[in-house]
């Protein structure tokens, strides 16, 4: 099909409006009173479907990519290129015997995976996946997201404690320490974004990142000095919050067997996995929204590609980063983990708070002043980084070696 | 909370730590009276990081180790008693199973013991082949160890897979030479079993030439990695005095700053003909143990290069030597070499019959493991795992 | 009954629950949690009167924000105290910690 | 509206009461978390959106962790080893009943306040302006209190050995 004429605005393009059109087509025949309810159910079903599938193929992608990085093929037996592997895994997890230790706290042991998945899911409600594609619009949606995600480590604690296993108990303690440490930088790194965008609503924050400087340089927060710093802090804290390597201390296969997962099997185990990937996806989606311009295209000429596709691409890139990091780094120790947070990320985020405030206050500087503004902001990132990084890695370093005299 | 009342289980006694068997433990880590409640965890025998069936009974205060008891014997196979009931040659394949990563060096140490006992000479070509195989074995062992150590540090498999790729190449060489990848049963009294072909030597040459590049890559990725340094530097310090008194040998001893290497000290085989250095560490921590092994591999490459270049012709077995029905006259002999894990030695007593009356193995893994508690006290569980990894044990050799 | 009444009743019930926790349980942690619950009850009243009351502007809302912040501080210090007391006396029974000198 | 609020009130009250009654300290703490979550939903239903999220964030994400940490660090055992003396229990029970009766009674039957229409919602922006305007001093003071409390908490809970890095 050839379009007769290019639409006046990218927002009017047929592909862009496809999800909304589809929803209207599906709900149009319903009586007015029912329509919003059915529409809400539809958006929930869509989010569940899309992210469920994303979870399934993330596990496959992770295993494939890890395999490639480690000189092995990864799963390639089930279906073409192993594409049916996630479904085989699901069937296996569903049919496995569910073993609960007799000493376990039965109620909490059952509740933990359920609570974890639920908490990982509800944050997705406020993410704008595309232009006009947000399930719940509210004024304080950023706050909602973090309030919803705050309790995920609580569920991990529940799992660890309820198992009545010593490894699991250690994992529960670690999960708590990790949460207390990393919730702070995660939230602090978001504050400058809120200050600069002047809103707690995810839709407004994405809208604030629209447009291009000189037609080339998108106004994404991650492309400003303070924003880049906040983005980096956010991603490190997000890694820790989603218990991914190198911060996978509650799981710590080589130390605590599987930590809080030690006493879980079958479908409950699969639920933990699902929660891990969903949490990762939710935090990445939030990072895209806050720092990477949400659904905005990187260049004006690329706006013909629908907004949700851009969102998907950015999300997948961040998730790929998670996998790559997992394949590369060793794990930190718990005291190093907390030290990294309190002595590095938190001060950096606090300095960045001021940096973001200055940026917001100087929003009307143009021309040469804009360059000065950039320079000040960059200085506010680089100088504290150098100081903090030096103090963090004090005492460690490469060594030179002697040889025994013959 | 997971623990019943400490007094009722006898754990209360734990709070007061007795001095170690060596009497060298620093008292700084003894928990103060009435410290937090203790948690007793049994790490192993089935644990991803105990490198086999091995158990550490750990008493924890939070995550800090206040007491650690290594428990082994799960893999005990009566090795020494078997040796006393078997002919001299019959024991050779059993030695493969001691340190199953390094059957070549085990064979060699045993062969030296028997050669001393029976007064058998070794041909020059065989000596060179033994050096080549021993150094390949060292490369194999240290490469694997580096990979395992990184795995213990929490890498999800990548360094281990890189290490195993190189290990496969060496195992392929062993297989094409001896017929078996790990249980080579290659050395004989007075020489070795198979003469390496020109193709085999060319393949070895190729491997040796490419190994430096692999080490460069591995080190570029890991030796300077911030997290690796943070995890390993200052962890599990082994003072030189304790190392010497405990009989620790091999790279562990050298990492503590003692330049003791049997290849230099005994000068067995044809090692005095080669030019190589002995790297030593300063701190004696996990990082030093890792780095000393990495540097040792560079020296091994240099030895291999020299040995391959200088490999003489001639027979591989002394024609006067006897393999079957060996009946050395009454006496005793101790043969030892610098194995990849330390001094591996065999002590044999003969009464003139076809089997030794006493057959004893000095296993480096076993001796090095005795100081595990001294290294781990005051560190966390996560550290204990990498300290154990840096000691480099193989349970086949520890339990025998 | 109006929404205001429901709010007030819940607030009263929460306050009593908190008070019972403080009075009956001898455990320092539960005592602190009871105090938190009483603070929550007070917050609920502020919100109820802001929303359904005679209209005092947004003062109630702002006050609740401050109250939450102070409650967080209270929890942090309180739990630190509990841990310190436990380390010192090996118990977290409130009645045991009745001496100024440890 | 009233019915919805009544149901939510029960959702919030039942865990709170259970939390005070159960002997298992961890269960107790988790039930408190549930009660706080219920309260957050209640705030949301009443219309205080921002307060609801702030409440959830602070209580579920912050206070609950500190409480659980304290419970684990003090290791009181699976069951609270400190059953209250029976006299104290009796006094507490009587006090509780009396209080419930008096407060419920006063709040429901003698509230002479006219039940007005809900006032219009406050926008977040307005709240922000209030905080940055007339209540700026209070805001700064609260920030100061939080900082002091954090440092004080660290100092109190820190082990006396200065060698170990703080992990709490």
């Amino acid at each position: 099909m050839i379009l007769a004429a290019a639409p006046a605005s990218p927002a009017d393009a047929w592909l862009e409006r496809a999800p909304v059109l589809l929803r209207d087509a599906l709900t149009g025949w319903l009586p007015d009173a029912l329509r919003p309810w059915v529409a809400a159910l539809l958006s929930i079903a869509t989010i569940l479907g899309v992210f469920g599938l994303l979870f399934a193929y993330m596990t496959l992608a992770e295993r494939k990519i890890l395999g490639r990085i480690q000189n092995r093929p990864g799963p390639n037996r089930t279906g073409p290129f192993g594409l049916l592997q996630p479904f085989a895994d699901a069937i296996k997890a569903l049919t496995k015997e569910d073993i609960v230790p007799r000493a376990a706290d039965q109620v909490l042991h059952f509740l933990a995976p359920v609570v974890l998945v639920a908490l990982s899911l509800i944050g997705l409600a406020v993410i704008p996946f595309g232009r006009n594609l947000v399930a719940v619009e509210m004024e304080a949606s950023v706050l909602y997201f973090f309030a919803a995600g705050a309790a995920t480590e609580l569920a991990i604690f529940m799992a660890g404690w309820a198992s009545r296993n010593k490894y699991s108990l250690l994992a529960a303690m670690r999960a708590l320490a990790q949460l207390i440490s990393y919730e702070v930088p995660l939230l602090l790194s978001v504050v400058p974004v809120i200050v600069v965008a002047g809103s707690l609503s995810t839709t407004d924050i994405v809208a604030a990142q629209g447009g291009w400087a000189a037609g080339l340089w998108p106004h994404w927060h991650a492309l400003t000095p303070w924003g880049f710093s906040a983005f980096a802090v956010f991603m490190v804290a997000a890694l820790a919050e989603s218990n991914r390597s190198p911060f996978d201390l509650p799981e710590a296969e080589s130390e605590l067997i599987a930590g809080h997962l030690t006493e879980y099997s079958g479908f409950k185990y699969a639920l933990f996995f699902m929660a891990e990937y969903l949490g990762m996806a939710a935090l990445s989606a939030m990072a895209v929204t806050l720092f990477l311009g949400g659904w905005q295209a990187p260049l004006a000429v690329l706006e013909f590609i629908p907004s949700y596709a851009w969102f998907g691409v950015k999300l997948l890139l961040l998730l790929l980063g998670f996998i790559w990091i997992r394949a590369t780094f060793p794990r930190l120790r718990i005291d190093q983990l907390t030290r990294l947070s309190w002595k590095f990320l938190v001060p950096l985020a606090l300095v960045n708070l001021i940096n973001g405030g200055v940026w917001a206050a100087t929003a009307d500087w143009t021309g040469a002043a804009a360059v000065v503004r950039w320079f000040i902001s960059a200085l506010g990132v680089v100088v504290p980084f150098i100081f903090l990084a030096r103090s963090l890695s004090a005492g460690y370093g490469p060594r030179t070696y002697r040889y025994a005299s013959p | 909370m997971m623990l019943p009342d400490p007094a009722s289980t006898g754990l209360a006694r734990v709070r007061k730590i007795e001095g170690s068997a060596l009497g060298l433990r620093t008292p700084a880590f003894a928990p103060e009276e009435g410290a937090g409640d203790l948690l007793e965890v049994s790490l192993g025998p089935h644990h991803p990081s105990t490198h086999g069936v091995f158990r550490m009974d750990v008493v924890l205060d939070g995550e800090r180790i206040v007491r650690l008891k290594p428990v082994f014997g799960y893999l005990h196979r009566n090795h020494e008693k078997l040796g006393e009931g078997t002919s001299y040659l019959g024991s050779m394949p059993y030695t493969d199973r001691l340190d199953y990563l390094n059957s070549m060096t085990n064979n060699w140490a045993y062969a030296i013991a028997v050669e001393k006992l029976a007064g058998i000479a070794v041909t020059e070509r065989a000596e060179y082949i033994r050096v080549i195989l021993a150094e390949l074995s060292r490369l194999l062992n240290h490469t694997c160890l580096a990979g395992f150590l990184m795995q213990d540090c929490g890498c999800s498999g990548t360094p281990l897979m890189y290490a195993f790729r190189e290990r496969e190449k060496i195992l392929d060489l062993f297989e094409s030479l001896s017929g078996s990848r790990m249980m080579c049963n290659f050395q004989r009294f007075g020489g070795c079993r198979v003469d390496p072909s020109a193709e085999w030597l060319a393949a070895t040459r190729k491997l040796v030439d490419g190994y430096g590049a692999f080490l460069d890559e591995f080190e570029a990725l890991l030796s300077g990695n911030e997290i690796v340094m943070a995890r390993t530097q200052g962890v599990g310090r082994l003072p030189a005095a304790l190392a010497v008194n405990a009989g620790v040998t091999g790279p562990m001893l050298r990492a503590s700053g003692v330049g003791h290497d049997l290849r230099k000290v005994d000068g067995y085989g044809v090692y005095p003909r080669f030019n190589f250095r002995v790297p030593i560490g300063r701190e004696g921590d996990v990082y030093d143990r890792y780095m000393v092994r990495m540097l040792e591999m560079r020296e091994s490459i240099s030895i291999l290069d020299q040995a391959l270049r200088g490999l003489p012709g001639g027979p591989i077995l002394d024609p006067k030597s006897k393999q079957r029905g060996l009946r050395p006259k009454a006496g005793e002999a101790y043969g030892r070499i610098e194995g990849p894990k330390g001094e591996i030695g065999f002590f044999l007593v003969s009464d003139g019959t076809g089997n030794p009356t006493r057959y004893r193995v000095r296993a480096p893994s076993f001796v090095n493991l005795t100081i595990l508690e001294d290294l781990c006290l005051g560190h966390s569980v996560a550290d204990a795992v990498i300290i154990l990894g840096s000691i480099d044990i193989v349970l086949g050799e520890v339990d025998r | 009954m109006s929404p205001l009444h429901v709010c007030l009743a819940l607030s009263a019930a929460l306050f009593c629950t908190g008070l019972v926790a403080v009075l009956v349980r001898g455990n320092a942690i539960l005592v602190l949690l009871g105090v938190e619950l009483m603070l929550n009850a007070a917050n609920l009243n502020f919100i109820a009167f802001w929303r359904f009351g005679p209209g005092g502007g947004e003062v109630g809302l702002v006050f609740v924000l401050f109250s939450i912040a102070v409650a967080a501080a209270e929890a942090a210090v309180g739990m630190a105290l509990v841990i310190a007391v436990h380390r010192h006396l090996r118990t977290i029974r409130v009645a045991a910690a009745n001496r100024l000198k440890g | 509206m009233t019915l919805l609020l009544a149901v939510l009130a029960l959702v919030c009250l039942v865990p709170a009461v259970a939390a005070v009654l159960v002997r298992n300290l961890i269960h107790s703490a988790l039930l408190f978390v549930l009660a706080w979550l219920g309260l957050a939903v209640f705030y949301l239903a009443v219309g205080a959106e921002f307060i609801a999220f702030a409440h959830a964030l602070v209580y579920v994400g912050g206070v609950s962790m500190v409480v659980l940490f304290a419970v684990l660090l003090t290791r009181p055992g699976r069951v609270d080893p400190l059953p209250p003396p029976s006299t104290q229990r009796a006094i507490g029970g009587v006090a509780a009943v009396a209080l419930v009766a008096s407060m419920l009674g006063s709040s429901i039957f003698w509230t002479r306040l006219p039940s007005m229409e809900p006032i219009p919602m406050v926008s977040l922006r307005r709240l922000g302006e209030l905080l940055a305007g007339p209540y700026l001093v209070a805001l700064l003071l609260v920030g100061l209190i939080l900082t002091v409390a954090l440092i004080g908490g660290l100092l109190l809970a820190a082990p006396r050995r200065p060698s170990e890095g703080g992990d709490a």
Side-chain angles (χ1 to χ4, degrees):
Chain A
M1 192 179 99
I2 299 161
L3 288 174
S9 140
D12 297 333
W14 177 80
L15 259 178
E16 180 70 53
R17 291 170 55 218
V20 179
L21 291 176
L22 191 66
R23 187 197 64 195
D24 291 346
L26 283 173
T27 58
W29 54 276
L30 286 166
D32 279 352
L34 269 178
R35 208 179 290 167
W37 294 96
V38 175
L41 278 179
L42 269 180
S43 47
I44 290 172
T46 315
I47 288 179
L48 281 181
V50 168
F51 277 86
L53 217 61
L54 181 74
F55 154 63
Y57 279 97
M58 271 290 289
T59 59
L60 182 66
E62 170 140 39
R63 292 168 67 182
K64 280 271 187 193
I65 293 169
L66 271 182
R68 286 314 305 156
I69 290 176
Q70 298 172 359
N71 304 313
R72 53 193 179 84
N76 60 356
R77 294 280 137 181
T78 324
F81 308 106
L83 280 176
L84 297 177
Q85 186 69 37
F87 303 103
D89 288 342
I91 291 167
K92 180 193 161 207
L94 275 170
T95 49
K96 262 186 106 163
E97 185 187 353
D98 176 39
I99 299 164
V100 182
R102 191 177 295 167
D105 190 314
Q106 308 286 332
V107 179
L108 289 186
H109 190 269
F110 172 79
L111 275 181
V114 181
V115 170
L116 192 58
V117 170
L119 289 174
S120 311
L121 266 175
I122 55 175
L124 291 170
V126 292
I127 305 284
F129 297 105
R131 214 186 296 261
N132 305 322
L133 280 186
V134 56
V136 182
E137 188 105 41
M138 57 173 114
E139 245 191 329
S141 46
V142 174
L143 205 59
Y144 163 83
F145 181 88
F146 291 106
T152 49
E153 303 267 328
L154 202 62
I156 290 180
F157 165 81
M158 275 161 68
W161 187 81
S163 296
R164 298 275 289 159
N165 175 311
K166 287 169 185 174
Y167 296 120
S168 305
L169 180 76
L170 285 173
M173 291 286 277
R174 286 179 172 190
L176 282 183
Q178 198 161 325
L179 181 103
I180 292 176
S181 304
Y182 279 84
E183 194 75 11
V184 179
L186 188 76
L187 284 170
L188 279 180
S189 67
V190 174
V191 177
V193 174
I194 295 165
V195 170
V196 170
S199 171
L200 267 172
S201 146
T202 45
T203 346
D204 292 352
I205 288 173
V206 173
Q209 299 177 72
W212 294 266
L216 284 172
W217 188 253
H219 283 151
W220 300 353
H221 290 143
L223 298 179
T224 57
W226 66 268
F228 182 76
S229 169
F231 177 57
V233 172
F234 184 92
M235 286 317 285
V236 173
L239 264 179
E241 284 279 303
S242 48
N243 287 327
R244 294 280 302 184
S245 174
F247 304 109
D248 54 344
L249 279 109
E251 210 176 313
E253 197 248 351
S254 64
E255 298 152 25
L256 303 182
I257 319 295
H260 59 286
L261 300 172
T262 309
E263 299 291 1
Y264 279 93
S265 59
F267 194 60
K268 286 185 197 161
Y269 185 79
L271 281 183
F272 274 104
F273 255 77
M274 187 164 170
E276 177 180 329
Y277 283 89
L278 286 177
M280 209 158 80
L283 278 167
S284 302
M286 201 48 171
V288 170
T289 306
L290 291 175
F291 300 105
L292 296 180
W295 43 261
Q296 313 264 9
L299 279 175
V301 288
L302 293 173
E303 271 196 312
F304 68 93
I305 298 171
S307 55
Y308 45 86
W310 279 120
F311 189 91
V313 168
K314 291 173 189 174
L315 181 65
L316 289 180
L317 279 179
L318 285 188
L319 291 175
L320 188 70
F322 274 86
I323 295 174
W324 195 350
I325 286 171
R326 173 168 174 203
T328 317
F329 284 112
R331 185 185 305 118
L332 287 169
R333 209 169 50 208
I334 187 77
D335 59 317
Q336 293 164 347
L337 180 95
T338 45
R339 194 183 316 137
L340 176 70
S341 170
W342 292 112
K343 296 198 176 160
F344 184 74
L345 294 178
V346 171
L348 204 62
L350 281 174
V351 172
N352 207 40
L353 209 62
I354 303 168
N355 203 344
V358 171
W359 186 271
T362 56
D364 51 351
W365 289 15
T366 47
V371 179
V372 176
R373 180 179 179 227
W374 252 82
F375 186 72
I376 293 172
S377 190
L379 217 61
V381 171
V382 173
V383 173
F385 176 82
I386 290 172
F387 273 101
L388 289 168
R390 191 169 294 169
S391 78
L392 189 71
S393 58
Y396 306 121
R399 294 177 183 167
T400 50
Y401 284 84
R402 298 170 294 153
Y403 291 89
S405 43
Chain B
M1 64 173 5
M2 304 310 297
L3 213 57
D5 178 21
S8 71
T9 56
L11 265 178
R13 275 179 288 131
V14 166
R15 294 210 177 128
K16 204 157 168 286
I17 290 186
E18 309 84 11
S20 79
L22 299 161
L24 284 159
R25 177 165 311 137
T26 46
F29 294 127
E32 66 205 49
E33 204 54 46
D37 295 85
L38 302 176
L39 181 72
E40 191 182 12
V41 183
S42 196
L43 291 173
H46 294 287
H47 185 284
S49 299
T50 50
H51 299 247
V53 273
F54 169 66
R55 183 153 67 96
M56 294 183 274
D57 272 349
V58 182
V59 179
L60 298 174
D61 176 13
E63 285 219 17
R64 221 162 49 98
I65 295 172
V66 294
R67 187 180 146 168
L68 184 146
K69 197 173 99 197
V71 182
F72 35 75
Y74 294 96
L75 208 61
H76 186 63
R77 292 158 304 178
N78 251 332
H79 181 87
E80 292 180 0
K81 197 69 195 163
L82 279 176
E84 288 162 17
T86 318
S87 70
Y88 285 95
L89 182 62
S91 278
M92 184 65 86
Y94 285 138
T95 63
D96 288 342
R97 274 90 178 159
L98 280 173
D99 174 357
Y100 38 76
L101 289 176
N102 300 305
S103 59
M104 290 293 184
T105 48
N106 298 343
N107 288 171
W108 191 5
Y110 178 64
I112 285 186
V114 176
E115 281 155 10
K116 268 191 186 171
L117 192 65
I120 301 170
V122 186
T123 64
E124 203 187 354
R125 182 171 170 84
E127 289 282 21
Y128 269 80
I129 295 169
R130 284 178 174 185
V131 167
I132 291 171
L133 291 172
E135 293 308 317
L136 280 177
S137 199
R138 199 181 312 279
L139 284 182
L140 168 100
N141 181 75
H142 288 359
T143 307
C144 280
L145 175 102
F148 283 132
L149 185 62
M150 290 305 142
Q151 188 77 354
D152 291 341
C153 282
C155 285
S156 34
T158 311
L160 185 65
M161 286 294 166
Y162 276 55
F164 264 51
R165 183 186 65 198
E166 299 308 307
R167 169 188 191 253
E168 283 304 302
K169 293 178 188 165
I170 299 175
L171 287 181
D172 286 346
L173 286 180
F174 284 0
E175 186 182 17
S176 69
L177 185 66
S178 74
S180 174
R181 291 157 64 77
M182 293 171 82
M183 305 299 148
C184 298
N185 182 20
F186 186 72
Q187 312 292 358
R188 287 293 176 266
F189 312 128
C192 36
R193 188 156 58 84
V194 190
D195 198 3
S197 62
E199 295 87 63
W200 189 87
L201 288 171
T204 310
R205 176 93 246 167
K206 201 172 148 230
L207 176 109
V208 170
D209 288 345
Y211 218 81
F214 160 70
L215 286 182
D216 290 343
E217 183 191 28
F218 199 84
E219 287 218 65
L221 284 173
L222 293 163
S223 298
N225 183 302
E226 195 87 8
I227 301 179
V228 170
M229 289 196 292
R231 280 299 302 278
T232 55
Q233 293 191 351
V235 170
R237 277 216 173 87
L238 174 62
L242 175 58
V244 171
N245 281 334
V248 169
T249 49
M252 258 194 101
L253 177 66
R254 293 193 283 276
S256 294
V258 183
H260 178 85
D261 188 325
L262 289 180
R263 291 175 293 178
K264 293 278 190 196
V265 174
D266 281 8
Y268 60 91
V270 285
Y271 273 115
R273 298 187 197 176
F274 302 127
N275 183 19
F276 66 98
R277 299 174 296 174
V278 178
I280 52 176
R282 200 171 264 132
E283 306 279 332
D285 54 13
V286 174
Y287 187 76
D288 270 0
R289 270 169 239 151
Y290 160 76
M291 279 308 287
V292 159
R293 288 186 175 102
M294 297 309 278
L295 293 170
E296 258 179 34
M297 280 198 270
R298 308 268 182 188
E299 299 303 319
S300 288
I301 293 172
S302 142
I303 296 174
L304 277 167
D305 182 53
Q306 297 169 46
L308 283 170
R309 214 177 296 141
L311 181 67
I316 53 157
L317 208 55
D318 189 25
K320 292 196 292 288
S321 72
K322 191 179 169 192
Q323 307 298 330
R324 284 165 208 284
L326 195 65
R327 286 173 189 279
K329 57 180 188 298
E332 57 181 54
Y334 179 63
R336 63 177 188 176
I337 65 164
E338 180 72 27
K341 292 179 165 62
E343 174 185 333
I344 169 133
F346 288 82
F347 178 66
L348 299 172
V349 180
S350 166
D351 58 356
T353 57
N355 338 328
T357 50
R358 183 76 179 97
Y359 170 99
R360 159 103 183 118
V361 184
R362 189 230 183 255
S365 292
F366 175 71
V367 179
N368 291 356
L369 191 59
T370 52
I371 48 153
L372 181 64
E373 182 175 14
D374 300 73
L375 296 187
C376 290
L377 284 188
H379 289 302
S380 71
V381 187
D383 290 333
V385 162
I386 61 169
I387 290 171
L388 181 69
S390 74
I391 292 178
D392 190 10
I393 57 164
V394 156
L395 267 303
E397 190 178 72
V398 173
D399 294 343
R400 298 195 289 286
Chain C
M1 286 238 302
S2 70
L4 180 62
H5 283 126
V6 177
C7 290
L8 294 184
L10 174 62
S11 162
L14 281 181
F15 189 86
C16 293
T17 315
L19 195 65
V20 170
V22 172
L23 287 180
V24 176
R25 304 295 295 259
N27 190 316
I29 293 175
L30 274 175
V31 168
L32 271 170
L33 284 173
V35 173
E36 292 284 343
L37 211 55
M38 283 148 76
L39 275 172
N40 287 338
N43 289 350
L44 186 56
N45 268 1
F46 275 115
I47 289 189
F49 282 111
W50 156 72
R51 192 87 172 95
F52 307 112
E58 301 93 348
V59 188
L61 219 51
V62 174
F63 206 93
V64 172
L65 270 185
F66 289 142
S67 163
I68 288 177
V70 172
E74 181 235 319
V77 176
M79 290 307 155
L81 271 174
V82 169
I83 291 168
V85 166
H86 177 260
R87 185 176 298 139
H88 217 65
L89 303 173
R90 318 291 305 154
T91 178
I92 49 171
R93 186 194 277 277
V94 184
N98 56 359
R99 283 167 300 153
L100 282 175
K101 199 161 174 240
Chain D
M1 180 75 175
T2 310
L3 193 67
L4 176 72
L5 286 187
V7 171
L8 286 178
L10 276 184
V11 167
C12 165
L13 193 59
V14 169
V17 172
V20 176
L21 294 181
V22 295
R23 295 282 302 281
N24 186 327
L25 264 182
I26 296 273
H27 282 182
S28 192
L30 288 173
L31 281 167
F32 265 108
V33 173
L34 200 60
W36 285 328
L37 262 181
L39 204 55
V41 177
F42 193 87
Y43 287 162
L44 205 58
V46 169
E49 189 185 282
F50 185 78
I51 300 285
F53 298 148
H55 175 88
L57 200 57
V58 168
Y59 278 96
V60 180
V63 175
S64 67
M65 303 293 155
V66 180
V67 170
L68 286 172
F69 222 78
V71 172
L72 282 186
L73 280 180
T74 52
R75 297 253 175 98
R78 199 157 163 74
V79 172
D80 184 3
L82 314 165
S86 55
T87 50
Q88 199 180 337
R89 214 184 306 192
I91 295 169
V94 171
V97 172
L99 262 167
V100 170
S102 63
M103 294 192 78
L104 281 182
S106 61
S107 63
I108 292 177
F109 298 109
W110 286 280
T111 307
R112 290 276 177 263
L113 287 168
S115 191
M116 305 193 172
E117 280 302 298
I119 62 156
M121 300 276 201
V122 180
S123 83
L124 209 54
R125 190 165 287 281
R126 171 86 185 112
L127 205 59
E129 279 161 7
L130 276 176
L131 280 178
Y135 298 100
L136 187 62
V137 178
L139 187 71
L140 291 178
L141 275 177
V142 162
L144 193 68
I145 288 175
L146 274 176
T147 317
V148 171
L150 197 67
I151 295 170
L154 271 178
L155 286 181
L156 273 174
R160 263 152 293 164
R161 277 189 310 276
S163 57
E164 290 292 309
D167 62 341

